[in-house]
Amino acid sequence: MRNIYDFEAEKPPALNENVLRDTLEKKRSKRLALLLMFAYLPVYATAALLAARAYKTDQILTGICIAFIAFSALGSLLCAAAFSVKEDRKHECSTINGNK
Amino acid sequence: MSAVPSMAINNILLLAAIAALLVLAAVIIGGYVYRDAKRRGMYALRWALIAALAPALMGFIIYLLTRTPRTDGKSGLGGIGFVIASLIVIPIFLLYFASMLKNRDSGVRIKTPYNTALTFEAYCEEKDAQTAEKVRQWLDTLPGKNSTRHTPVGLLRYDAEYRGEPRRFYLAALPNTGRTPLIESGVVDGLFTSTLVINAMHSGDYYPDYTLYSFSLSGNEPDRFKAIIGVNELEVELTAVDYNPTVFYIVPDYSKVDYNDDLFLPDKLTIRKNSSEGYIGSSRHSFVAGIDIDERREVFELLKIIDSAELLDHLEAHGQTYSDLFTVTTVYGKRSEHVTHWDSVTFLITLGKESGDCIIFDESRNDFYYLKTDRSFYDRLSALFEP
């Protein structure tokens, strides 16, 4: 029978308690990150509420709130984009190194 | 009056609470990341600053996703539960505080009992020649009478006072609104500022001059004025003057002046006796009898008693029950056709059953006051109706 995977070609990854714990922590961290993204939504809601309330008479406050939402959304988008590009590169490098 | 600053302070406190919560969230995140990054051999200060200052918790999220394993050989999230709980609870509090923000009570009271928008010709009929001339000169300094685009609306203000409260009289020059524009004005109270909006709709006919609109305010002055003519939103250019430019009478405080033949007085007082039953603030009246008093001296004496009466707290006045009520209407001959003219509104005069005082509801000066005097005034009015 012909094997579809050559088990002799590479060593299996070292598996110990620490590695398992790290993996578990990373999974938890990802869940927390997701939770934090939703936790920040009330802050946007607060700013939007203030902007709407102040629209008729306090346009400066409305402007500040809208600027905050825009800056915050744009900033987080840029951070997320920069982070994902960096992660992609890291993943690419590790794949190349792994293939070697 | 005192509620106005406290309302603004409440809003400032709430905004300060919101800002404090945001700072607290940043401190909690920064503190946690600094401690955690140190244990993992990462750049603690740099990551703490990034996590605390990057918008939308993005720095903290990136830190969580990129942090390396701990160097002390231990594992676990290291007290992150508290941080996460804080970051869930704090935004909810932010939203709660923001929803508690209240529009300030500006304390501005506006009264325009009938449409006082007049053409300049009609205005001249109402006012003396000297005032009309001053207003003409002012109108000539205003830009663009036939345009409502990008032209500020001129507004004159005259300051007066009654019972220690400011009362302001305004004359607005509205360009291109026709002879009889429909005008609605009101105060829009915001979180921190109040704006008086004059909303004028063109009457459809052509009038080449400004239409002059009189209104008056008591209580505080609004922070801003705005005029909307048709669909154009215009700024208002305010000028204080030392004469009354409006078509309203400025009724003197009769308790502070002596009688003389030149004293400004209504042409007559119409007093009506009503059979009533109820409590102050809500009642039903049925007309019983009415008389006119046109003897100047007597008119003055009655108004002097009213103006000498003690100011009564609204809460103290409300809820008092009474029976029978007099209404006193001041009538000015020149404008008697304006039955709801603000200087021609009524005083309500009754006897509070609980206090035994004569209670007067005074609406004669663009505001309403509850006043209190002894029952001799009520008896004096009753005597007028005795056969």
Side-chain angles (χ1 to χ4, degrees):
Chain A
M1 190 176 128
R2 193 181 164 204
N3 284 330
I4 56 166
Y5 188 80
D6 185 3
F7 289 98
E8 305 302 322
E10 278 185 59
K11 281 185 181 175
L15 202 61
N16 56 32
E17 196 185 340
N18 283 344
V19 173
L20 287 173
R21 274 185 180 162
D22 286 343
T23 312
L24 190 64
E25 194 186 310
K26 279 212 165 109
K27 273 187 180 173
R28 274 186 189 167
S29 294
K30 276 181 186 168
R31 277 204 297 270
L32 288 175
L34 197 67
L35 187 66
L36 282 174
M37 273 161 58
F38 285 107
Y40 202 72
L41 287 180
V43 178
Y44 282 133
T46 303
L49 182 69
L50 276 179
R53 288 279 302 281
Y55 175 68
K56 273 191 178 171
T57 50
D58 303 278
Q59 277 94 352
I60 294 172
L61 186 63
T62 304
I64 291 171
C65 290
I66 291 171
F68 170 76
I69 294 171
F71 169 77
S72 188
L74 197 70
S76 57
L77 206 70
L78 286 175
C79 286
F83 173 70
S84 65
V85 167
K86 202 175 169 190
E87 281 298 290
D88 281 353
R89 276 192 194 151
K90 217 161 111 182
H91 181 70
E92 220 168 75
C93 289
S94 66
T95 312
I96 293 165
N97 289 339
N99 286 346
K100 275 180 185 177
Chain B
M1 291 300 134
S2 59
V4 176
S6 67
M7 189 66 79
I9 287 168
N10 283 347
N11 279 349
I12 290 166
L13 284 177
L14 283 169
L15 277 187
I18 288 172
L21 283 177
L22 285 172
V23 171
L24 181 70
V27 168
I28 290 173
I29 293 169
Y32 169 79
V33 169
Y34 183 80
R35 208 162 45 95
D36 192 65
K38 247 185 173 179
R39 283 194 299 229
R40 293 169 195 269
M42 297 168 76
Y43 294 107
L45 188 64
R46 195 170 72 186
W47 272 112
L49 286 174
I50 290 171
L53 300 178
L57 300 178
M58 202 39 79
F60 188 39
I61 291 170
I62 290 173
Y63 172 76
L64 286 179
L65 295 176
T66 57
R67 62 185 178 176
T68 54
R70 287 171 67 155
T71 52
D72 55 6
K74 292 179 185 170
S75 67
L77 296 171
I80 200 170
F82 170 72
V83 180
I84 298 291
S86 307
L87 294 179
I88 291 170
V89 170
I90 285 174
I92 290 168
F93 268 103
L94 286 179
L95 197 54
Y96 175 66
F97 285 148
S99 68
M100 277 172 66
L101 285 168
K102 286 190 174 73
N103 282 354
R104 65 181 286 209
D105 171 15
S106 64
V108 180
R109 291 185 289 278
I110 183 167
K111 200 167 182 185
T112 47
Y114 64 98
N115 195 349
T116 63
L118 301 170
T119 60
F120 184 72
E121 294 76 30
Y123 175 82
C124 288
E125 283 173 26
E126 297 274 345
K127 298 295 288 186
D128 59 281
Q130 201 184 353
T131 308
E133 179 54 30
K134 283 179 183 172
V135 169
R136 180 73 264 169
Q137 284 171 7
W138 169 65
L139 291 177
D140 290 340
T141 63
L142 298 176
K145 69 176 70 166
N146 292 323
S147 167
T148 53
R149 283 175 185 273
H150 317 300
T151 307
V153 167
L155 186 68
L156 291 182
R157 187 190 73 203
Y158 174 68
D159 294 323
E161 190 188 276
Y162 180 68
R163 286 185 182 268
E165 271 200 3
R167 298 171 59 237
R168 300 182 180 88
F169 296 82
Y170 296 90
L171 182 74
L174 305 173
N176 196 25
T177 50
R179 286 174 179 276
T180 52
L182 180 67
I183 298 177
E184 282 179 359
S185 42
V187 180
V188 182
D189 289 330
L191 292 175
F192 298 101
T193 57
S194 57
T195 310
L196 188 131
V197 183
I198 303 166
N199 200 337
M201 295 302 290
H202 198 290
S203 58
D205 55 350
Y206 176 68
Y207 181 61
D209 205 347
Y210 292 99
T211 308
L212 298 170
Y213 171 61
S214 300
F215 63 96
S216 71
L217 302 178
S218 57
N220 298 337
E221 184 167 39
D223 302 300
R224 288 176 63 221
F225 290 89
K226 196 165 75 178
I228 301 171
I229 297 178
V231 292
N232 297 313
E233 199 174 305
L234 306 171
E235 288 303 312
V236 171
E237 215 170 74
L238 185 66
T239 312
V241 289
D242 58 358
Y243 60 91
N244 172 19
T246 66
V247 292
F248 300 136
Y249 295 130
I250 295 183
V251 181
D253 184 344
Y254 293 107
S255 67
K256 291 180 178 163
V257 292
D258 293 323
Y259 178 77
N260 64 64
D261 287 342
D262 297 326
L263 186 64
F264 178 83
L265 279 167
D267 291 319
K268 64 177 181 180
L269 295 181
T270 297
I271 303 177
R272 280 175 290 181
K273 187 179 180 182
N274 300 277
S275 166
S276 313
E277 193 69 45
Y279 57 92
I280 306 286
S282 171
S283 63
R284 288 172 191 275
H285 321 306
S286 54
F287 176 76
V288 174
I291 53 165
D292 282 345
I293 295 178
D294 53 8
E295 202 276 306
R296 275 179 62 86
R297 186 82 202 200
E298 198 173 352
V299 168
F300 171 73
E301 291 298 334
L302 290 173
L303 292 175
K304 190 178 177 77
I305 294 171
I306 292 172
D307 281 351
S308 305
E310 187 189 332
L311 202 60
L312 187 65
D313 186 69
H314 285 203
L315 290 175
E316 204 183 325
H318 273 257
Q320 290 221 32
T321 53
Y322 67 92
S323 59
D324 295 346
L325 180 98
F326 293 102
T327 60
V328 178
T329 306
T330 54
V331 179
Y332 298 87
K334 192 175 177 186
R335 270 174 265 157
S336 56
E337 72 273 17
H338 299 311
V339 289
T340 55
H341 188 288
W342 74 272
D343 284 328
S344 302
V345 293
T346 54
F347 300 98
L348 304 179
I349 298 161
T350 190
L351 211 55
K353 275 184 181 172
E354 284 78 10
S355 65
D357 293 321
C358 176
I359 296 167
I360 303 165
F361 179 69
D362 175 2
E363 217 184 3
S364 64
R365 290 177 176 85
N366 187 34
D367 208 340
F368 60 87
Y369 303 91
Y370 283 108
L371 308 171
K372 179 174 81 172
T373 185
D374 60 52
R375 66 169 295 154
S376 64
F377 182 52
Y378 185 86
D379 293 339
R380 184 173 174 164
L381 294 177
S382 300
L384 293 172
F385 290 88
E386 281 170 11

